[in-house]
Short mmCIF file of all heavy atoms in Angstrom, two decimals:
data_model
loop_
_atom_site.label_atom_id
_atom_site.label_comp_id
_atom_site.label_asym_id
_atom_site.label_seq_id
_atom_site.Cartn_x
_atom_site.Cartn_y
_atom_site.Cartn_z
N ASP B 77 -48.34 -13.03 57.40
CA ASP B 77 -47.27 -12.08 57.73
C ASP B 77 -46.51 -12.56 58.94
O ASP B 77 -47.04 -13.16 59.84
CB ASP B 77 -47.86 -10.72 58.04
CG ASP B 77 -48.41 -10.11 56.77
OD1 ASP B 77 -48.07 -10.64 55.69
OD2 ASP B 77 -49.16 -9.17 56.86
N ARG B 121 -43.28 -30.98 44.57
CA ARG B 121 -42.21 -30.54 43.71
C ARG B 121 -41.83 -29.09 43.95
O ARG B 121 -40.74 -28.68 43.69
CB ARG B 121 -42.60 -30.70 42.24
CG ARG B 121 -42.52 -32.12 41.77
CD ARG B 121 -43.15 -32.22 40.42
NE ARG B 121 -44.50 -31.67 40.46
CZ ARG B 121 -45.27 -31.59 39.39
NH1 ARG B 121 -44.83 -31.97 38.23
NH2 ARG B 121 -46.48 -31.10 39.50
N GLN B 177 -45.17 -14.59 35.34
CA GLN B 177 -45.69 -15.80 35.93
C GLN B 177 -44.94 -17.03 35.46
O GLN B 177 -45.06 -18.09 36.02
CB GLN B 177 -47.17 -15.94 35.58
CG GLN B 177 -48.02 -14.84 36.17
CD GLN B 177 -47.84 -14.74 37.66
OE1 GLN B 177 -47.55 -15.74 38.30
NE2 GLN B 177 -47.97 -13.54 38.22
N LEU B 198 -37.84 -26.31 34.28
CA LEU B 198 -36.60 -26.14 33.55
C LEU B 198 -36.08 -24.74 33.78
O LEU B 198 -36.83 -23.80 33.79
CB LEU B 198 -36.89 -26.33 32.07
CG LEU B 198 -35.83 -25.80 31.15
CD1 LEU B 198 -34.70 -26.80 31.06
CD2 LEU B 198 -36.43 -25.56 29.80
N PHE B 202 -29.27 -16.92 32.44
CA PHE B 202 -28.11 -16.29 31.85
C PHE B 202 -27.61 -15.23 32.78
O PHE B 202 -28.33 -14.70 33.60
CB PHE B 202 -28.40 -15.75 30.45
CG PHE B 202 -29.23 -14.51 30.43
CD1 PHE B 202 -28.66 -13.30 30.15
CD2 PHE B 202 -30.59 -14.60 30.65
CE1 PHE B 202 -29.44 -12.17 30.12
CE2 PHE B 202 -31.35 -13.46 30.60
CZ PHE B 202 -30.79 -12.24 30.34
N TRP B 300 -43.69 -23.50 2.98
CA TRP B 300 -42.41 -24.19 2.92
C TRP B 300 -42.05 -24.70 4.30
O TRP B 300 -42.35 -24.10 5.31
CB TRP B 300 -41.34 -23.21 2.46
CG TRP B 300 -41.63 -22.63 1.13
CD1 TRP B 300 -42.51 -21.64 0.85
CD2 TRP B 300 -41.06 -23.02 -0.09
NE1 TRP B 300 -42.52 -21.38 -0.48
CE2 TRP B 300 -41.63 -22.20 -1.10
CE3 TRP B 300 -40.12 -23.99 -0.46
CZ2 TRP B 300 -41.29 -22.33 -2.42
CZ3 TRP B 300 -39.78 -24.09 -1.79
CH2 TRP B 300 -40.36 -23.28 -2.76
N PHE B 303 -36.88 -26.94 7.96
CA PHE B 303 -36.12 -27.91 8.73
C PHE B 303 -37.00 -29.07 9.15
O PHE B 303 -38.22 -28.95 9.22
CB PHE B 303 -35.54 -27.26 9.98
CG PHE B 303 -34.59 -26.17 9.66
CD1 PHE B 303 -34.97 -24.85 9.80
CD2 PHE B 303 -33.34 -26.46 9.16
CE1 PHE B 303 -34.11 -23.85 9.48
CE2 PHE B 303 -32.47 -25.45 8.84
CZ PHE B 303 -32.85 -24.14 8.99
N LYS B 360 -46.37 -26.72 -9.36
CA LYS B 360 -45.32 -27.21 -10.26
C LYS B 360 -45.94 -28.03 -11.38
O LYS B 360 -46.86 -28.80 -11.13
CB LYS B 360 -44.38 -28.14 -9.48
CG LYS B 360 -43.43 -27.48 -8.58
CD LYS B 360 -42.55 -28.54 -7.95
CE LYS B 360 -41.68 -27.96 -6.86
NZ LYS B 360 -40.90 -28.99 -6.20
N ASP B 386 -15.23 -38.52 3.21
CA ASP B 386 -14.82 -38.02 4.52
C ASP B 386 -14.53 -39.15 5.49
O ASP B 386 -13.57 -39.13 6.24
CB ASP B 386 -15.91 -37.12 5.12
CG ASP B 386 -15.98 -35.79 4.41
OD1 ASP B 386 -15.07 -35.54 3.59
OD2 ASP B 386 -16.91 -35.02 4.66
N THR B 508 3.89 -16.17 31.38
CA THR B 508 4.61 -17.30 30.81
C THR B 508 3.61 -18.33 30.32
O THR B 508 2.81 -18.85 31.10
CB THR B 508 5.53 -17.92 31.87
OG1 THR B 508 6.36 -16.90 32.41
CG2 THR B 508 6.39 -19.01 31.27
N LEU B 525 7.02 -22.69 39.51
CA LEU B 525 7.79 -21.81 38.65
C LEU B 525 8.34 -20.63 39.46
O LEU B 525 9.49 -20.23 39.30
CB LEU B 525 6.91 -21.30 37.49
CG LEU B 525 7.57 -20.46 36.43
CD1 LEU B 525 8.75 -21.18 35.81
CD2 LEU B 525 6.57 -20.08 35.34
N CYS B 564 18.82 -28.72 36.13
CA CYS B 564 18.98 -28.57 34.68
C CYS B 564 19.03 -27.11 34.29
O CYS B 564 19.84 -26.70 33.46
CB CYS B 564 17.84 -29.26 33.94
SG CYS B 564 17.99 -31.03 33.90
N ARG B 571 25.88 -22.60 30.34
CA ARG B 571 26.57 -22.83 29.06
C ARG B 571 26.99 -21.49 28.46
O ARG B 571 26.32 -20.48 28.67
CB ARG B 571 25.62 -23.56 28.10
CG ARG B 571 25.31 -24.96 28.59
CD ARG B 571 24.46 -25.69 27.58
NE ARG B 571 24.43 -27.11 27.89
CZ ARG B 571 24.05 -28.02 27.02
NH1 ARG B 571 23.68 -27.67 25.81
NH2 ARG B 571 24.03 -29.29 27.35
N GLU B 593 25.76 -15.12 11.11
CA GLU B 593 25.63 -14.51 9.79
C GLU B 593 26.53 -15.19 8.76
O GLU B 593 26.19 -15.26 7.59
CB GLU B 593 25.91 -13.01 9.88
CG GLU B 593 24.74 -12.25 10.49
CD GLU B 593 24.86 -10.74 10.34
OE1 GLU B 593 25.84 -10.19 10.86
OE2 GLU B 593 23.96 -10.13 9.73
N LEU B 603 19.03 -14.64 0.28
CA LEU B 603 18.21 -14.14 1.39
C LEU B 603 19.06 -13.29 2.32
O LEU B 603 18.60 -12.27 2.84
CB LEU B 603 17.58 -15.31 2.16
CG LEU B 603 16.53 -14.90 3.20
CD1 LEU B 603 15.31 -14.30 2.52
CD2 LEU B 603 16.09 -16.07 4.06
N PHE B 604 20.29 -13.70 2.50
CA PHE B 604 21.19 -12.94 3.35
C PHE B 604 21.36 -11.52 2.79
O PHE B 604 21.30 -10.53 3.54
CB PHE B 604 22.54 -13.63 3.46
CG PHE B 604 23.55 -12.85 4.24
CD1 PHE B 604 23.46 -12.78 5.62
CD2 PHE B 604 24.59 -12.17 3.61
CE1 PHE B 604 24.38 -12.04 6.36
CE2 PHE B 604 25.51 -11.44 4.33
CZ PHE B 604 25.41 -11.38 5.71
N SER B 629 8.58 -18.76 20.78
CA SER B 629 8.33 -18.43 19.38
C SER B 629 7.75 -19.59 18.58
O SER B 629 7.04 -19.37 17.61
CB SER B 629 9.60 -17.94 18.71
OG SER B 629 10.67 -17.92 19.61
N LEU B 658 14.40 -19.80 8.62
CA LEU B 658 14.52 -18.90 7.47
C LEU B 658 14.42 -19.68 6.16
O LEU B 658 13.79 -19.25 5.20
CB LEU B 658 15.85 -18.14 7.51
CG LEU B 658 16.10 -17.21 8.70
CD1 LEU B 658 17.35 -16.38 8.47
CD2 LEU B 658 14.90 -16.29 8.94
#
Side-chain angles (χ1 to χ4, degrees):
Chain B
D77 290 345
R121 284 169 306 178
Q177 296 306 330
L198 163 80
F202 74 105
W300 301 78
F303 298 104
K360 284 182 188 176
D386 287 352
T508 306
L525 185 56
C564 284
R571 293 184 167 197
E593 284 191 300
L603 189 66
F604 176 74
S629 359
L658 298 189

